[in-house]
């Protein structure tokens, strides 16, 4: 086993001496990392100060979304970028986190809208074709409220009208949607002034509500009395002038459309406020019968058949529509034990405009309206059923003045008030026929028939006598007359002696008249010739 090594001898080493602490001097090499740190800090602070708002947008799915690539655009200007795309906790939605530019912070309010722009085909329009090459992006619509918000729900369909577009939205209600689609045009006097922007089914399922937007300045023509109707397709009418085909435009034939108009006889009213609700009618004819705001309900009782009278039939005064039939019912009158058929009508007093030389007139309402109607009834105003179409048998209610009508008044105590009526034209015809029939029944038709039979027998005997006795004698007389005429014609021939003698006598008469004329001239010159005779030529 080898020997262990001996420890080193440390006594030979020199002793350590404490050196004095020297002062540190900076080196130039440390300036580089210091400048880099300062620049990095400044960039970090600048990035924090310039960082835009971060928002969350909820989508139903992630189609067209891609983190780091999908951009946000407002009026085709890039304002942000999607940074992350994740699923919600319940896995039913997709949440896209986006970072926007700092200047857009004031516009992130409650009604700001977001939607995905991609190629779409809707109705007759194709949108988003530019995204085929560039890729989908998120469109932004700026809101108008003041309440800030960070989380938004994306729209499933891009909005047709931006919130900052001048104009107003209105709400229409209809029993069904018909052929209307999103983007369907809105017409005013055949000019396209807006479009349908949304529709939804009512909660009770009994109708559909549509929202339409009318651009400025045309929105001022929508008043509280405006009428809206479905202008889709063609409206074909057969009248006295032939077949009439009415349509707003070719677009309305293909995609449908809505038209509106204010009746000229309606009272003047200001422009309707935004979100005003209107009824959407099936056609223009029904829309123009729409009741106005001022409605006077009255009831009529007719003592004749109502066959041909329908709800919606016009109530007019000498051709001017002043109302419409609102209801036709059948009731049992407990007092008279008769079945009556009340006809309720809606009258529009504002269509009856007052004219006066005075600058100011009282409003046509209240007690003044009652007094005016009572005066009209006192002068003979009555409601009457008249035929509106002889082919279809349709009836309408006519208000007219009958000066010979019996005295009547308005029953204001009934609900609604009862307006007096008179028998219609058909009823008058039936009454006249009944009066004629009654008079015919009173005539002694049997006696008249016997007398007529006796008269016919006498006439027959007279005709037989004429045929047997008078006719032969009349024939002989006519023969003799014919012979006399022939003789006279023979005597008047040119070669007959009578004609020659007559002509000679006429010539002699002419010569005699000439001689008498000469004698008369001579006696006028020589009246003494009557005493002494004619003198000789030598005595002259």
């Amino acid at each position: 086993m080898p020997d262990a090594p001996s420890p080193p001898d440390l006594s030979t080493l020199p002793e350590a001496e404490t050196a004095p602490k020297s002062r540190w001097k900076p080196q130039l090499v440390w300036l580089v990392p210091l400048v880099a740190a300062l620049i990095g800090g400044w960039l970090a602070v600048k990035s924090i100060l310039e960082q835009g708002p971060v928002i969350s947008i909820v989508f139903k799915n992630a189609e067209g979304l891609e983190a780091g690539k999908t951009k946000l655009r407002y009026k085709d200007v890039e304002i942000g970028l999607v940074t992350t795309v994740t699923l919600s906790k319940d896995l039913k939605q997709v949440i896209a986190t986006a970072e926007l530019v700092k200047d857009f912070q004031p516009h992130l309010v409650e009604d700001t809208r977001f939607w995905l722009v991609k190629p779409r085909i809707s109705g007759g329009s194709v949108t988003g074709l530019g995204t085929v090459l560039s890729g989908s992006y998120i469109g932004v619509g700026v809101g108008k409220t003041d309440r800030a918000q960070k989380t938004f729900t994306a729209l499933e369909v891009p909005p047709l009208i931006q919130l900052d577009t001048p104009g107003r939205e209105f709400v229409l209600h209809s029993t069904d949607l018909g052929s209307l689609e999103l983007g369907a045009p809105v017409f005013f006097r055949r000019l396209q002034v807006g479009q349908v922007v949304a529709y939804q089914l009512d909660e009770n399922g009994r109708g559909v509500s549509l929202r339409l937007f009318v651009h400025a300045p045309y929105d001022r023509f929508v008043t509280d009395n405006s009428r809206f109707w479905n202008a889709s397709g063609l409206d074909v009418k057969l009248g006295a002038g032939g077949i009439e085909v009415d349509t707003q435009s070719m677009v309305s034939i293909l995609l449908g459309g809505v038209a509106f108009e204010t009746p000229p006889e309606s009272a003047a009213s200001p422009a309707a406020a935004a979100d005003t609700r209107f009824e959407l009618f099936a056609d223009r004819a029904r829309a123009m019968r729409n009741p106005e705001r001022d409605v006077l309900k009255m009831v009529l009782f007719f003592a004749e058949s109502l066959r041909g009278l329908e709800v919606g039939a016009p109530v007019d005064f000498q051709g001017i529509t002043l109302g419409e039939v609102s209801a036709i019912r059948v009731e049992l009158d407990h007092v008279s034990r008769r079945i009556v058929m009340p006809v309720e009508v809606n009258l529009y007093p504002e269509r009856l405009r007052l004219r006066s030389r005075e600058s100011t007139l009282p409003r046509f309402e209240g007690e003044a309206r009652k007094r005016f109607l009572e005066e009209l009834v006192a002068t003979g105003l009555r409601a009457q059923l008249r035929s509106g179409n002889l082919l279809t048998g349709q009836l309408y209610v006519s208000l007219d003045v009958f000066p010979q009508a019996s005295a009547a008044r308005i029953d204001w105590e009934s609900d609604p008030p009862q307006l007096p009526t008179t028998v219609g034209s058909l009823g008058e015809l039936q009454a006249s026929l009944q009066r004629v029939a009654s008079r015919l029944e009173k005539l002694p038709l049997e006696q008249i028939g016997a007398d007529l039979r006796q008269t016919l027998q006498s006439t027959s005997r007279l005709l037989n006598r004429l045929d047997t006795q008078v006719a032969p004698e009349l024939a002989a007389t006519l023969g003799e007359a014919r012979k006399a005429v022939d003789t006279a014609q023979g005597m008047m021939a040119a070669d007959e002696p009578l004609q020659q003698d007559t002509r000679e006598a006429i010539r002699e008469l002419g010569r005699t008249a000439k001689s008498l004329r000469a004698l008369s001239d001579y006696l006028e010159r020589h009246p003494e010739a009557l005493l002494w005779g004619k003198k000789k030529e030598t005595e002259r």
Side-chain angles (χ1 to χ4, degrees):
M1 183 174 184
D3 295 337
S6 57
D9 188 5
L10 299 178
S11 59
T12 60
L13 294 175
E15 294 183 359
E17 297 181 355
T18 301
K21 188 176 181 180
S22 60
R23 188 175 180 182
W24 181 81
K25 295 181 180 180
Q27 303 294 326
L28 293 177
V29 70
W30 294 104
L31 293 176
V32 176
L34 180 59
V35 173
L38 292 175
I39 293 174
W42 177 78
L43 292 176
V45 172
K46 182 180 178 181
S47 177
I48 294 173
L49 294 176
E50 293 182 353
Q51 184 179 7
V54 178
I55 61 173
S56 298
I57 308 173
V58 179
F59 293 86
K60 284 192 172 182
N61 55 65
E63 180 184 2
L65 298 176
E66 189 173 355
K69 292 186 177 180
T70 303
K71 300 176 182 179
L72 283 78
R73 294 181 179 178
Y74 174 69
K75 293 185 177 181
D76 289 335
V77 177
E78 184 177 341
I79 61 171
L81 181 67
V82 174
T83 56
T84 60
V85 179
T86 59
L87 290 170
S88 62
K89 293 182 179 180
D90 57 3
L91 304 180
K92 293 182 179 181
Q93 297 173 326
V94 174
I95 301 175
T97 304
E99 182 178 346
L100 281 68
V101 297
K102 184 179 180 181
D103 296 339
F104 207 77
Q105 174 70 46
H107 306 294
L108 295 175
V109 293
E110 188 177 28
D111 57 343
T112 298
R113 301 180 292 185
F114 297 86
W115 63 92
L116 185 66
V117 179
K118 59 183 180 180
R120 297 176 186 269
I121 300 178
S122 176
S125 61
V126 180
T127 59
L129 290 180
T131 61
V132 174
L133 300 177
S134 61
S136 301
Y137 63 90
I138 298 176
V140 182
V142 176
K144 297 181 178 181
T145 63
D146 298 331
R147 294 183 293 272
Q149 188 169 314
K150 292 293 185 179
T151 302
F152 303 89
T153 300
L155 302 177
E156 297 182 16
V157 180
L160 299 175
I161 302 296
Q162 298 296 335
L163 294 177
D164 56 351
T165 304
R168 277 176 287 183
E169 286 190 4
F170 303 99
V171 181
L172 305 182
H173 187 269
S174 176
T175 55
D176 55 62
L177 185 61
S179 59
L180 297 176
E181 295 287 345
L182 291 178
V186 177
F187 296 98
F188 176 69
R189 301 191 183 279
R190 299 187 186 276
L191 294 176
Q192 183 173 349
V193 297
Q195 57 192 135
V196 177
V197 296
Y199 58 82
Q200 64 179 6
L201 185 67
D202 294 345
E203 294 183 359
N204 55 13
R206 298 182 179 180
V208 179
S209 295
L210 300 91
R211 298 189 68 88
L212 56 86
F213 184 86
V214 180
H215 296 276
Y218 307 105
D219 56 340
R220 61 189 175 92
F221 298 114
V222 181
T223 67
D224 292 338
N225 288 327
S226 294
R227 312 288 185 263
F228 290 82
W229 67 89
N230 194 326
S232 306
L234 296 173
D235 185 10
V236 182
K237 297 180 180 178
L238 177 60
I243 300 178
E244 299 181 2
V245 180
D246 184 18
T247 182
Q248 296 293 323
S249 68
M250 292 299 298
V251 177
S252 65
I253 296 177
L254 300 176
L255 304 179
V258 176
F260 71 91
E261 183 180 346
T262 302
E265 64 271 16
S266 298
S269 59
D275 296 329
T276 302
R277 296 182 65 88
F278 295 93
E279 185 77 13
L280 179 63
F281 292 87
D283 51 47
R284 184 180 183 276
R286 298 181 185 179
M288 300 309 286
R289 293 200 304 261
N290 182 28
E292 301 194 12
R293 304 297 180 185
D294 186 10
V295 179
L296 176 60
K297 293 183 176 293
M298 304 199 79
V299 64
L300 311 173
F301 289 93
F302 294 100
E304 54 193 300
S305 174
L306 299 181
R307 184 178 181 85
L309 184 66
E310 299 179 353
V311 174
V315 178
D316 73 358
F317 179 78
Q318 298 184 355
I320 304 299
T321 301
L322 296 181
E324 64 180 358
V325 176
S326 59
I328 302 175
R329 298 195 302 272
V330 178
E331 297 178 354
L332 176 62
D333 189 352
H334 295 280
V335 178
S336 61
R337 294 295 178 180
R338 293 188 304 107
I339 297 178
V340 295
M341 292 175 290
V343 177
E344 293 186 4
V345 297
N346 291 339
L347 301 180
Y348 313 135
E350 289 297 336
R351 295 189 181 183
L352 187 62
R353 298 180 179 178
L354 299 180
R355 180 181 291 246
S356 175
R357 296 181 179 178
E358 299 178 2
S359 58
T360 59
L361 286 173
R363 290 185 58 83
F364 189 53
E365 60 184 5
E367 294 298 328
R369 177 186 299 174
K370 289 184 178 181
R371 288 193 299 270
F372 178 75
L373 293 177
E374 289 174 352
E375 292 175 359
L376 288 179
V377 171
T379 57
L381 179 68
R382 300 291 186 271
Q384 184 185 57
L385 287 180
R386 292 183 181 178
S387 176
N389 192 314
L390 295 177
L391 297 178
T392 62
Q394 293 180 342
L395 300 178
Y396 70 95
V397 178
S398 174
L399 299 179
D400 208 339
V401 177
F402 300 88
Q404 304 300 326
S406 57
R409 64 180 185 85
I410 301 177
D411 186 3
W412 296 106
E413 296 180 357
S414 63
D415 187 21
Q418 180 180 345
L419 184 68
T421 62
T422 187
V423 179
S425 55
L426 294 179
E428 291 179 353
L429 178 59
Q430 293 176 355
S432 299
L433 293 177
Q434 187 175 1
R435 289 193 296 268
V436 172
S438 300
R439 292 179 181 179
L440 289 176
E441 290 179 355
K442 297 179 180 179
L443 292 176
L445 297 179
E446 295 181 357
Q447 182 66 30
I448 293 175
D451 296 342
L452 182 60
R453 189 179 301 109
Q454 185 177 359
T455 302
L456 290 176
Q457 291 175 356
S458 300
T459 304
S460 179
R461 288 193 298 269
L462 178 61
L463 291 176
N464 291 332
R465 183 179 178 183
L466 291 174
D467 188 28
T468 57
Q469 298 179 8
V470 178
E473 296 179 358
L474 184 60
T477 303
L478 290 176
E480 294 295 333
R482 188 178 296 108
K483 291 179 181 180
V485 171
D486 293 340
T487 303
Q489 289 179 350
M491 295 177 64
M492 295 301 295
D495 55 350
E496 290 293 328
L498 180 61
Q499 289 288 336
Q500 295 178 2
D501 294 342
T502 302
R503 286 195 292 271
E504 184 65 23
I506 292 173
R507 285 195 293 269
E508 288 296 332
L509 289 175
R511 286 193 294 270
T512 301
K514 185 181 296 184
S515 299
L516 290 175
R517 187 180 302 108
L519 178 60
S520 176
D521 294 339
Y522 181 78
L523 293 176
E524 183 177 0
R525 293 193 303 273
H526 303 281
E528 68 277 6
L530 294 174
L531 299 176
W532 308 109
K534 184 178 180 181
K535 295 181 178 181
K536 296 182 180 180
E537 293 293 334
T538 57
E539 295 179 354
R540 295 179 182 177

